[in-house]
Amino acid sequence: GQPLLLLAGPCVLESGELGWEIAREMKDICARLGISYVFKGSFDKANRTSLRSFRGPGLEKGLRQLGRIREEVGVPVVSDVHEQGQVEMAAEVLDIIQIPAFLCRQTDLLVAAAKSGKTVNLKKGQFVSPWDMEHAVGKLRDGGCDRILLTERGASFGYNNLVVDMRSLPVMRGFGCPVVFDATHSVQLPGGTGGSSGGQREFVPTLARAAMAAGIDGLFMEVHPDPDKALCDGPNSWPLDQVEPLLRQLLAIRAALDEDQNG
Amino acid sequence: GQPLLLLAGPCVLESGELGWEIAREMKDICARLGISYVFKGSFDKANRTSLRSFRGPGLEKGLRQLGRIREEVGVPVVSDVHEQGQVEMAAEVLDIIQIPAFLCRQTDLLVAAAKSGKTVNLKKGQFVSPWDMEHAVGKLRDGGCDRILLTERGASFGYNNLVVDMRSLPVMRGFGCPVVFDATHSVQLPGGTGGSSGGQREFVPTLARAAMAAGIDGLFMEVHPDPDKALCDGPNSWPLDQVEPLLRQLLAIRAALDEDQNG
Amino acid sequence: GQPLLLLAGPCVLESGELGWEIAREMKDICARLGISYVFKGSFDKANRTSLRSFRGPGLEKGLRQLGRIREEVGVPVVSDVHEQGQVEMAAEVLDIIQIPAFLCRQTDLLVAAAKSGKTVNLKKGQFVSPWDMEHAVGKLRDGGCDRILLTERGASFGYNNLVVDMRSLPVMRGFGCPVVFDATHSVQLPGGTGGSSGGQREFVPTLARAAMAAGIDGLFMEVHPDPDKALCDGPNSWPLDQVEPLLRQLLAIRAALDEDQNG
Amino acid sequence: GQPLLLLAGPCVLESGELGWEIAREMKDICARLGISYVFKGSFDKANRTSLRSFRGPGLEKGLRQLGRIREEVGVPVVSDVHEQGQVEMAAEVLDIIQIPAFLCRQTDLLVAAAKSGKTVNLKKGQFVSPWDMEHAVGKLRDGGCDRILLTERGASFGYNNLVVDMRSLPVMRGFGCPVVFDATHSVQLPGGTGGSSGGQREFVPTLARAAMAAGIDGLFMEVHPDPDKALCDGPNSWPLDQVEPLLRQLLAIRAALDEDQNG
């Protein structure tokens, strides 16, 4: 079948060097494993819990970093946009335009992303049922977009907690789009630690394995060489030096499912 | 004590006449009842479930309608903004700038609204705990805003349903801002009827009475002379000709609480 | 209209003296306020979080205590049963037999309670929708019971938390049974403090006022002269010396609603 | 590693022949696949939504059926108990005594099951967090039971819906007990179809694969030769003739994880 798609990188673009280092390392790992890799990095964290949190280099500087990584490392790049005015500029650099989960119902943003001609990765809102994402997909398709990824990243479950409903994966695959599982945001504890969101990094492998076995086309992960020093989402980022063993495990599951279907 | 604050009007600005009619009627009712009234109407429904739904007159035309209602009827007006670029223009007309619930964590939008010098009505996201709204309030205050309203409109409760946690009202009042209860969006069934959100209009009085008794400073309601023909959110809009009896009942509860405290 | 019904007492029967003291005090308060009072006390807490928690005097000794309070203080009494075998003996003493929320779907227990000829107070399970309680009511009615109380005590909301959905009150009143709001269990945090359940006593008045305004026929409260020393559910029990001011406030709300309806 | 444990059979014991047929078929399948099989069948459905639903043959007749299947087919058997008085008699026949999810906090039932000397399969309540199950395990251990299975069967998620939180599997494995995933009750829609619970049979494989990859020791499934004619829980039962392909797929996932760990 198709190679696994992997969108991975730091939560926020911290420095050009860090992004470059992660992209190189991830590219090598994915080449060894036969995974189709896309570098992910946010130029701006537009919805941090607190105003005092690090937000990133901003649109222009961030896109320059992403452009350099794209060219020098030779990998496609994905980043998220927050207002329709950012889409045109972002589309000059990005291979995939990502719509944040909180914004998955903002019609203008979706239509602008659709019109960019790029692949769009639409994250399912924490407050949206899987079947209602069909309407959001419809907005993208009506806008002319036919390369759509849908990403599951957990649903609101009481306060300060998310739960991943694995039923959402086959439901969203039913819309005819590849489905991606975001293994690191799914273990966030929103607002759970005072001025920033907490996370349960220890559950990343559990949920990633479960989603792979449930059936996905791609994986999304925030990775960092030293997650405890990450400027954003450290508590749920996955350590760079543990990426390869985790991916090997996930590919073993994927191969087992393929064999079973063909056997 | 303070008079009750009421933000009410059609979900979306349908025609200038309709808005004008509702504003006149509501102003008269509120004058009779000693309620402080603000006309509410959206110029753009930026997050309709489906692309084919009516979105409204748009920013410029909508603001003109709101400006005319403000002047001719003589009532303050409130409307919602969706991107920071809309704030400046909106602030020239509006008395209160409203931040939609889905966007309550978008830092740039909050800061722009704060800098406008206007009162800001911040709706609590369906995915945010009451105590985490303190961070959003902090973003507004850091942006220079000191007239902040916080609005409860329900929390995600499984799929296609919201629940109002009445504990949120005292929690948010604890941040030192007046708290408003949105009695009509709280009975929405998000995405519950296929291509648009459903609603349970029959529960509006139940929840409004409950919130009033729990303790609120203001009420938010979408009202319409013929809700079943409303171009947006009809299933949860409250009929204009039933507004006065409902408000009388709510004021009776409010008076009972006041007497009890003073008695 | 009907006087308000109040089921109140200690969570568990601690000592004969304590129960007697609470019953006397509550009877006096309710006489002053025109409230119809029923003494509540559990003879056995059959589902404590931990085995090491105090469970109560047990069936026989507990029923003797309840019988004495009933006769000497002159108040009706309510207590909960956990297995059908307890119902017959309990029915000899109790005026109202209560079905615990966790057991609201145990057919044999419901049928045995129905056949006892006593009034049955059926608590809604934390895992049951309001409309599905109609089936449990049906089990009682088919068993020959026509005096049924339905009690709301919160619904599961993520982990270690409950939320009160005020819509449940009119829904359950629609089954033709008086509806009671349990103001103290509704603020429990199940399992929230390690080996026992936590509670948010500070929200008791908020939720009680809200439920009264939403529309209820009765109130349920666990009260204690010194909640911090209570042997069960202290964190969510209401202090005996603050019962009267709270009830006065609730009656003021009730009167306001009555006046409004008759006005 | 250990062979996979499988608890499977009809929801309720319908007739001796049906149970016998299912047990034989399942035993053969599991022998081929190297799975450790236990026949499951309820003698009494004590918490059906409606009084008019089929409840089963009852304790005595049901245990006789189970005993005959145990002896004649040569498989261990599991069934559930609902009151402590049933435990002694049940323990004379059963290899595993099961505690229903609604009753997972009923101390007397747990202690009686623990004292029986049998293995106990404790189902996690829909209203209990995974970490709070440690207290229930403690009740069993204090009662002298050291062979405990813990079963995940979904958590309350709004009304009439359950969600499986895959994080619960490693959390409960951390208590030192084998963890079982109930693949058919997890797709129930409680009370979702009027007088009985609905189900989403189509999601059984998705969730079973996900749980297997997340990490479990055993699987629980209700199977039936003709689920649409099953007298209980048909909508979420798995067809007997599709059991083997599903189990093969699950074993392939299990093997992939084992290889990966040993590779």
Side-chain angles (χ1 to χ4, degrees):
Chain A
Q2 288 281 95
L4 180 69
L5 177 69
L6 178 63
L7 285 60
C11 173
V12 66
L13 292 167
E14 302 187 4
S15 71
E17 296 69 38
L18 183 82
W20 203 88
E21 179 199 342
I22 293 175
R24 278 297 303 264
E25 179 70 21
M26 288 300 309
K27 188 192 176 192
D28 287 353
I29 295 170
C30 290
R32 278 198 291 278
L33 300 179
I35 290 173
S36 177
Y37 174 61
V38 181
F39 176 81
K40 182 267 163 186
S42 292
F43 53 78
D44 182 21
K45 305 308 295 179
N47 54 29
R48 295 297 302 258
T49 304
S50 159
L51 206 60
R52 271 163 286 274
S53 304
F54 179 72
R55 284 188 52 170
L59 180 63
E60 293 189 37
K61 206 171 147 197
L63 286 174
R64 271 202 303 278
Q65 274 191 34
L66 287 163
R68 222 165 43 222
I69 287 169
R70 188 177 189 279
E71 243 175 89
E72 295 177 14
V73 182
V75 288
V77 295
V78 58
S79 195
D80 34 8
V81 292
H82 311 90
E83 299 202 340
Q84 50 175 325
Q86 298 176 332
V87 173
E88 196 180 334
M89 210 169 152
E92 286 172 25
V93 173
L94 306 178
D95 300 273
I96 305 179
I97 290 178
Q98 180 167 290
I99 307 293
F102 289 155
L103 305 181
C104 73
R105 286 187 54 158
Q106 302 304 312
T107 304
D108 290 334
L109 186 61
L110 266 67
V111 171
K115 290 193 186 308
S116 74
K118 299 291 173 175
T119 297
V120 175
N121 180 25
L122 178 59
K123 292 199 152 185
K124 177 163 73 66
Q126 298 86 336
F127 45 87
V128 180
S129 73
W131 42 86
D132 285 320
M133 287 305 290
E134 192 163 19
H135 305 297
V137 168
K139 290 182 187 177
L140 288 174
R141 285 186 174 145
D142 284 355
C145 182
D146 59 356
R147 283 176 303 163
I148 303 169
L149 304 172
L150 282 174
T151 296
E152 165 67 45
R153 50 93 77 237
S156 286
F157 185 57
Y159 294 135
N160 302 309
N161 201 4
L162 299 172
V163 69
V164 177
D165 180 358
M166 295 288 162
R167 295 173 298 183
S168 73
L169 303 171
V171 169
M172 293 200 296
R173 278 180 133 187
F175 308 151
C177 311
V179 167
V180 173
F181 176 64
D182 179 341
T184 51
H185 286 100
S186 292
V187 300
Q188 259 189 343
L189 300 177
T193 53
S196 65
S197 287
Q200 301 178 307
R201 195 189 298 152
E202 66 274 23
F203 291 126
V204 168
T206 301
L207 294 185
R209 288 197 308 261
M212 185 61 73
I216 50 174
D217 304 285
L219 193 74
F220 178 107
M221 289 179 74
E222 290 182 346
V223 300
H224 197 279
D226 189 355
D228 293 334
K229 293 198 180 134
L231 297 180
C232 173
D233 277 0
N236 52 300
S237 288
W238 190 247
L240 193 53
D241 62 4
Q242 294 174 34
V243 166
E244 186 162 354
L246 176 56
L247 290 177
R248 284 191 185 277
Q249 198 178 38
L250 300 179
L251 289 175
I253 293 168
R254 192 172 167 90
L257 294 177
D258 279 353
E259 270 171 52
D260 180 75
Q261 283 181 323
N262 303 329
Chain B
Q2 290 279 98
L4 181 68
L5 177 70
L6 178 63
L7 285 60
C11 173
V12 66
L13 292 167
E14 301 187 4
S15 71
E17 296 66 40
L18 182 83
W20 203 88
E21 178 198 346
I22 294 175
R24 278 298 303 264
E25 180 71 20
M26 288 301 307
K27 189 192 175 191
D28 288 352
I29 295 170
C30 290
R32 279 198 290 279
L33 301 178
I35 290 172
S36 177
Y37 174 61
V38 182
F39 176 81
K40 182 267 163 186
S42 294
F43 53 78
D44 181 21
K45 304 309 294 179
N47 54 29
R48 296 297 302 258
T49 303
S50 158
L51 205 59
R52 269 164 287 273
S53 304
F54 180 70
R55 284 188 52 170
L59 180 63
E60 292 188 42
K61 203 170 149 200
L63 287 174
R64 269 202 306 277
Q65 274 192 32
L66 287 162
R68 221 164 45 221
I69 287 169
R70 187 178 190 277
E71 243 173 274
E72 295 178 14
V73 183
V75 288
V77 294
V78 57
S79 194
D80 35 7
V81 292
H82 311 91
E83 298 202 340
Q84 51 175 323
Q86 299 176 332
V87 174
E88 196 181 333
M89 209 167 150
E92 284 172 27
V93 173
L94 304 178
D95 299 273
I96 304 179
I97 290 178
Q98 179 167 292
I99 308 292
F102 290 155
L103 304 181
C104 74
R105 286 186 55 157
Q106 303 303 314
T107 305
D108 289 335
L109 185 62
L110 267 65
V111 171
K115 288 194 189 307
S116 74
K118 297 292 174 175
T119 297
V120 175
N121 181 25
L122 179 58
K123 293 198 150 183
K124 178 163 75 64
Q126 298 87 334
F127 47 85
V128 180
S129 72
W131 40 88
D132 285 322
M133 287 305 289
E134 192 162 19
H135 304 297
V137 168
K139 290 182 188 178
L140 288 173
R141 286 187 175 146
D142 285 355
C145 181
D146 59 356
R147 284 177 301 163
I148 303 168
L149 304 172
L150 282 173
T151 295
E152 166 67 45
R153 47 95 77 237
S156 287
F157 185 57
Y159 295 134
N160 303 309
N161 200 4
L162 298 171
V163 68
V164 177
D165 180 358
M166 295 286 162
R167 295 173 298 183
S168 75
L169 303 171
V171 168
M172 294 200 295
R173 278 180 134 185
F175 309 150
C177 310
V179 167
V180 174
F181 176 65
D182 179 341
T184 49
H185 287 99
S186 292
V187 300
Q188 258 189 343
L189 300 177
T193 51
S196 66
S197 288
Q200 301 178 306
R201 195 189 300 153
E202 66 273 25
F203 292 127
V204 167
T206 301
L207 293 185
R209 290 195 308 260
M212 185 60 74
I216 51 174
D217 305 284
L219 193 74
F220 178 107
M221 288 181 75
E222 289 180 349
V223 300
H224 197 279
D226 189 354
D228 293 334
K229 292 198 181 136
L231 298 180
C232 174
D233 278 0
N236 52 299
S237 289
W238 190 245
L240 193 52
D241 63 3
Q242 295 174 35
V243 166
E244 186 162 353
L246 175 56
L247 290 176
R248 285 191 183 276
Q249 197 179 39
L250 300 178
L251 289 176
I253 293 169
R254 191 174 168 90
L257 293 177
D258 278 353
E259 270 171 52
D260 180 75
Q261 281 181 324
N262 303 329
Chain C
Q2 290 280 96
L4 180 68
L5 176 69
L6 178 62
L7 286 59
C11 173
V12 65
L13 292 167
E14 302 188 3
S15 71
E17 295 67 39
L18 183 82
W20 204 88
E21 179 198 344
I22 293 175
R24 278 296 304 264
E25 180 71 21
M26 288 301 307
K27 188 191 177 192
D28 287 352
I29 294 170
C30 290
R32 278 198 291 277
L33 300 179
I35 290 172
S36 178
Y37 174 61
V38 181
F39 176 80
K40 182 267 163 185
S42 293
F43 54 78
D44 182 20
K45 305 308 294 179
N47 54 29
R48 295 297 302 258
T49 303
S50 159
L51 205 59
R52 270 164 286 273
S53 304
F54 179 72
R55 283 189 52 170
L59 180 64
E60 292 189 40
K61 205 171 147 198
L63 286 174
R64 271 202 305 278
Q65 274 191 34
L66 287 163
R68 223 165 43 222
I69 287 169
R70 188 177 189 280
E71 244 174 273
E72 295 178 14
V73 183
V75 288
V77 295
V78 58
S79 194
D80 34 8
V81 292
H82 311 90
E83 298 202 341
Q84 50 175 324
Q86 300 176 331
V87 173
E88 197 181 332
M89 209 168 150
E92 285 172 26
V93 173
L94 304 179
D95 300 272
I96 304 179
I97 290 178
Q98 179 168 292
I99 307 293
F102 289 156
L103 304 181
C104 73
R105 286 187 54 157
Q106 302 304 312
T107 304
D108 290 333
L109 186 62
L110 266 65
V111 171
K115 289 193 186 309
S116 73
K118 298 291 172 176
T119 297
V120 176
N121 181 24
L122 178 59
K123 292 198 151 186
K124 177 163 74 65
Q126 298 87 336
F127 45 87
V128 180
S129 72
W131 41 87
D132 285 321
M133 287 305 290
E134 192 163 18
H135 304 297
V137 168
K139 290 182 188 178
L140 289 173
R141 286 186 174 146
D142 284 354
C145 182
D146 60 356
R147 284 175 302 163
I148 303 168
L149 304 172
L150 284 174
T151 296
E152 165 67 46
R153 47 94 75 240
S156 287
F157 185 57
Y159 294 136
N160 303 308
N161 201 4
L162 299 171
V163 69
V164 177
D165 180 358
M166 296 286 161
R167 294 173 298 182
S168 74
L169 303 171
V171 169
M172 294 200 296
R173 278 181 134 185
F175 308 150
C177 310
V179 167
V180 174
F181 176 64
D182 179 341
T184 51
H185 286 100
S186 292
V187 300
Q188 259 189 343
L189 301 177
T193 52
S196 64
S197 287
Q200 300 177 308
R201 194 188 301 152
E202 67 272 24
F203 292 126
V204 167
T206 301
L207 293 185
R209 288 196 308 261
M212 185 61 72
I216 50 175
D217 306 285
L219 193 74
F220 178 108
M221 288 181 74
E222 289 181 348
V223 300
H224 198 279
D226 189 355
D228 293 334
K229 293 199 180 132
L231 297 180
C232 174
D233 277 1
N236 53 298
S237 288
W238 190 247
L240 192 52
D241 63 4
Q242 294 174 36
V243 165
E244 186 162 354
L246 176 56
L247 290 176
R248 284 191 186 277
Q249 198 178 39
L250 299 178
L251 289 175
I253 293 169
R254 191 171 168 92
L257 294 176
D258 278 354
E259 269 170 53
D260 180 75
Q261 281 181 323
N262 303 329
Chain D
Q2 290 280 98
L4 181 68
L5 177 69
L6 178 63
L7 286 61
C11 174
V12 66
L13 292 166
E14 302 187 4
S15 70
E17 296 66 41
L18 182 82
W20 204 89
E21 177 200 344
I22 294 176
R24 278 297 303 264
E25 178 72 20
M26 288 300 308
K27 188 192 177 192
D28 287 352
I29 295 171
C30 289
R32 280 198 291 278
L33 300 179
I35 290 174
S36 178
Y37 173 61
V38 182
F39 176 80
K40 183 267 162 184
S42 293
F43 53 78
D44 181 21
K45 304 310 294 179
N47 53 29
R48 296 297 303 257
T49 303
S50 160
L51 206 59
R52 269 164 286 274
S53 305
F54 179 72
R55 283 188 53 169
L59 180 63
E60 293 188 39
K61 204 171 150 199
L63 286 174
R64 270 202 305 278
Q65 275 192 31
L66 287 162
R68 222 165 44 222
I69 287 169
R70 189 178 188 276
E71 242 175 273
E72 296 177 12
V73 183
V75 289
V77 295
V78 57
S79 194
D80 35 7
V81 292
H82 311 92
E83 297 203 340
Q84 50 175 325
Q86 300 176 328
V87 173
E88 197 181 332
M89 209 169 153
E92 285 171 27
V93 173
L94 305 179
D95 300 273
I96 304 179
I97 290 177
Q98 179 167 293
I99 308 292
F102 289 155
L103 304 181
C104 73
R105 286 187 55 157
Q106 302 303 313
T107 304
D108 290 334
L109 186 62
L110 267 66
V111 171
K115 289 195 188 307
S116 73
K118 299 290 175 177
T119 297
V120 176
N121 180 24
L122 178 59
K123 293 199 150 184
K124 177 163 75 64
Q126 297 85 337
F127 45 87
V128 180
S129 72
W131 42 88
D132 285 321
M133 287 305 290
E134 191 162 18
H135 304 296
V137 168
K139 290 181 187 177
L140 288 174
R141 285 185 175 145
D142 284 355
C145 182
D146 59 356
R147 284 176 301 165
I148 303 167
L149 304 172
L150 283 173
T151 296
E152 166 68 44
R153 49 93 78 238
S156 286
F157 185 57
Y159 294 134
N160 302 310
N161 201 3
L162 299 171
V163 69
V164 177
D165 180 358
M166 295 287 162
R167 294 173 299 182
S168 74
L169 303 172
V171 168
M172 293 200 296
R173 279 179 133 187
F175 307 152
C177 310
V179 167
V180 174
F181 176 65
D182 180 340
T184 50
H185 287 100
S186 292
V187 300
Q188 257 187 345
L189 300 177
T193 52
S196 64
S197 288
Q200 302 177 306
R201 194 188 300 152
E202 66 274 23
F203 291 127
V204 168
T206 301
L207 293 186
R209 289 196 309 260
M212 185 60 74
I216 50 173
D217 304 285
L219 193 74
F220 178 108
M221 289 180 75
E222 290 181 346
V223 300
H224 198 280
D226 189 354
D228 292 334
K229 293 197 180 136
L231 297 180
C232 174
D233 278 0
N236 52 300
S237 288
W238 190 247
L240 192 53
D241 63 3
Q242 294 174 36
V243 167
E244 187 162 353
L246 177 56
L247 290 177
R248 285 191 185 278
Q249 197 179 40
L250 299 179
L251 289 175
I253 293 170
R254 192 172 166 90
L257 293 176
D258 279 353
E259 270 170 53
D260 180 76
Q261 281 181 324
N262 302 329

